[in-house]
Amino acid sequence: MAESDGQERTEQPTEQRLRQAREKGQIPRSKELGTAAVLLSAAAALLMLGDALGEALSMVFEQSFRLERAAIFDPATMMPALAEAIGGLMWPLLGMFAVVLVAALVGNSLLGGFNFSTQAMMPKFSRLSPVNGLKRMFGVQALVELLKSIAKVVFIATIAIWLLWSQFDHILRLSGETLNLAMKDALELLLWMGLALCLALLPIVAIDVPFQVWNHTRQLKMTLQEVKDEYKNTEGKPEVKSRIRRLQQEMANRRMMAEVPTADVVVVNPTHFSVALRYDKDKPGAAPVVVAKGLDEVALKIREVAREYQVPVISSPALARAVYFSTKLDREIPDGLFVAVAQILAYVFQLNAWRKGQGNKPVPLKDDLPIPDEYRV
């Protein structure tokens, strides 16, 4: 289908296009599927409740024909008789109606699912336009629906005529049977003939359902430009996205810097890396956690905050790089770095105790901490 700008609708509808169409009430629906579900459920209900319905009808006929002439003109007699007749037929009929109602709801929602759209309920003045009405009446879609209807009528009529012809002798024999037997036999015959006609709808449903899905997708197809415009509107312009990412990064950095004063030590590569670690000694089985880390300017800012709040800053280039690349923010360090970090923390705790006059001055850390080769960067 050509557009005014010369582009064709060659692209499959996107998820957003399908969602917007659903919000407007534009979903694939098959009338044939709903009709077949209702008719087949009615036939099944008759199959289950046919005996009870036949007995109720027989009772109503018998009671009606036994009424005397005087009782027919007596309201005091007729009202109880009417109530008894209605009561006898009510339960079989209510059972049938319940089955048909459920089938109608389920059958019409099998294709497209259940959908409630307020936009579809809103009045549209375009529907009142005679020109648009004529287009709908004499358009391609109307022609397709007309041909489908003619084909359905011819097909179902052919099946119905064949069924009547094949059961013609059986139908004639009903007149020679007793009332009870004739009613039961007639109901059984109607049931199986009705079931056969309902089953004849299944080939129509098998053709109509894929057609409705294909037609719905065809109507929602998009041009390449529409896909690009939708992506741009959804994802945003590159400069806007860049600014959003920058603001998000700044907010994350501010939250991270607020955690630096709670750290026990900051391990640094003097020029590029800084990693702030916190260890909860009172928590059994706890491991050191990375509360802040950064490169270059962020690393410098972490060191400045650490010195401001008197958090020890230890230079260990290999360990700083290993923790930075192996551990995410707010996560525990890997097992392979426990020994090296433990030596750092032990040195810091001894240093803090010595500064408080509670111990000897710790031995300076070795330059080569035990860092496994797989963590060295």
Side-chain angles (χ1 to χ4, degrees):
M1 183 181 296
E3 297 295 305
S4 58
D5 58 358
Q7 295 191 35
E8 294 183 355
R9 296 183 180 272
T10 57
E11 306 301 315
Q12 293 295 321
T14 61
E15 290 295 330
Q16 181 177 350
R17 181 67 171 263
L18 293 173
R19 184 175 62 254
Q20 291 174 347
R22 191 174 186 86
E23 292 173 355
K24 295 177 182 178
Q26 299 175 5
I27 54 178
R29 290 292 192 207
S30 173
K31 296 179 182 178
E32 316 306 330
L33 179 59
T35 303
V38 170
L39 293 178
L40 285 170
S41 66
L46 278 173
L47 184 63
M48 294 184 294
L49 304 172
D51 291 340
L53 183 60
E55 292 176 1
L57 286 173
S58 298
M59 181 192 68
V60 171
F61 274 111
E62 289 178 4
Q63 292 177 350
S64 299
F65 284 116
R66 287 176 181 174
L67 287 173
E68 297 181 358
R69 185 176 184 278
I72 296 176
F73 296 97
D74 185 4
T77 304
M78 288 303 298
M79 292 305 295
L82 178 62
E84 187 175 357
I86 294 175
L89 290 171
M90 181 176 65
W91 295 114
L93 290 177
L94 282 179
M96 288 184 57
F97 293 156
V99 172
V100 173
L101 177 61
V102 172
L105 294 175
V106 174
N108 285 285
S109 59
L110 282 176
L111 182 62
F114 180 78
N115 184 50
F116 180 78
S117 174
T118 56
Q119 296 186 32
M121 299 169 59
M122 298 298 292
K124 293 183 179 180
F125 293 102
S126 60
R127 296 176 180 173
L128 302 177
S129 172
V131 177
N132 292 336
L134 290 173
K135 290 181 179 179
R136 288 193 296 268
M137 290 174 60
F138 298 101
V140 177
Q141 186 68 24
L143 179 61
V144 172
E145 293 297 327
L146 176 61
L147 294 176
K148 283 171 52 182
S149 300
I150 294 174
K152 284 189 297 182
V153 170
V154 172
F155 181 70
I156 298 299
T158 303
I159 299 295
I161 293 171
W162 177 78
L163 287 172
L164 289 172
W165 181 261
S166 63
Q167 298 297 323
F168 186 71
D169 293 337
H170 191 175
I171 296 172
L172 290 179
R173 287 197 301 269
L174 294 175
S175 59
E177 299 176 352
T178 60
L179 178 61
N180 289 338
L181 184 59
M183 289 186 62
K184 183 178 180 180
D185 200 8
L187 282 174
E188 185 177 356
L189 179 62
L190 286 173
L191 170 63
W192 289 109
M193 291 180 65
L195 183 60
L197 284 174
C198 294
L199 291 174
L201 291 173
L202 294 181
I204 300 175
V205 172
I207 296 173
D208 187 62
V209 169
F211 171 77
Q212 295 298 337
V213 174
W214 171 83
N215 189 47
H216 177 70
T217 305
R218 179 186 63 84
Q219 292 175 348
L220 295 181
K221 276 190 173 182
M222 307 168 66
T223 64
L224 186 59
Q225 186 60 42
E226 287 176 335
V227 175
K228 292 179 179 179
D229 292 342
E230 180 183 292
Y231 177 80
K232 183 181 295 184
N233 293 332
T234 303
E235 300 297 328
K237 296 181 179 180
E239 56 271 20
V240 175
K241 291 166 59 179
S242 176
R243 177 172 174 77
I244 292 175
R245 284 196 297 268
R246 186 170 63 254
L247 292 175
Q248 290 174 340
Q249 186 63 42
E250 291 176 358
M251 293 175 62
N253 287 340
R254 283 197 293 270
R255 289 194 300 269
M256 186 175 64
M257 293 303 171
E259 294 294 323
V260 174
T262 67
D264 293 307
V265 64
V266 174
V267 183
V268 300
N269 173 336
T271 55
H272 297 292
F273 295 87
S274 289
V275 178
L277 301 173
R278 182 173 60 213
Y279 176 59
D280 188 355
K281 295 181 291 185
D282 299 327
K283 186 176 179 181
V289 176
V290 176
V291 297
K293 68 176 186 176
L295 289 171
D296 300 330
E297 295 181 0
V298 177
L300 179 61
K301 182 65 177 178
I302 291 174
R303 291 196 292 272
E304 291 177 356
V305 174
R307 292 191 178 97
E308 180 181 354
Y309 288 90
Q310 298 181 353
V311 177
V313 177
I314 304 298
S315 176
S316 179
L319 182 60
R321 290 195 298 268
V323 174
Y324 181 89
F325 288 110
S326 66
T327 311
K328 294 182 179 180
L329 198 63
D330 296 325
R331 299 292 178 86
E332 295 181 349
I333 63 172
D335 297 347
L337 297 178
F338 277 4
V339 176
V341 172
Q343 292 184 14
I344 293 283
L345 290 173
Y347 174 78
V348 168
F349 294 152
Q350 292 174 10
L351 184 63
N352 290 336
W354 173 69
R355 289 174 177 173
K356 294 177 182 179
Q358 298 177 357
N360 298 324
K361 185 176 181 180
V363 179
L365 283 169
K366 297 180 180 179
D367 294 335
D368 189 16
L369 293 174
I371 302 173
D373 293 338
E374 61 267 24
Y375 293 105
R376 291 184 177 273
V377 181

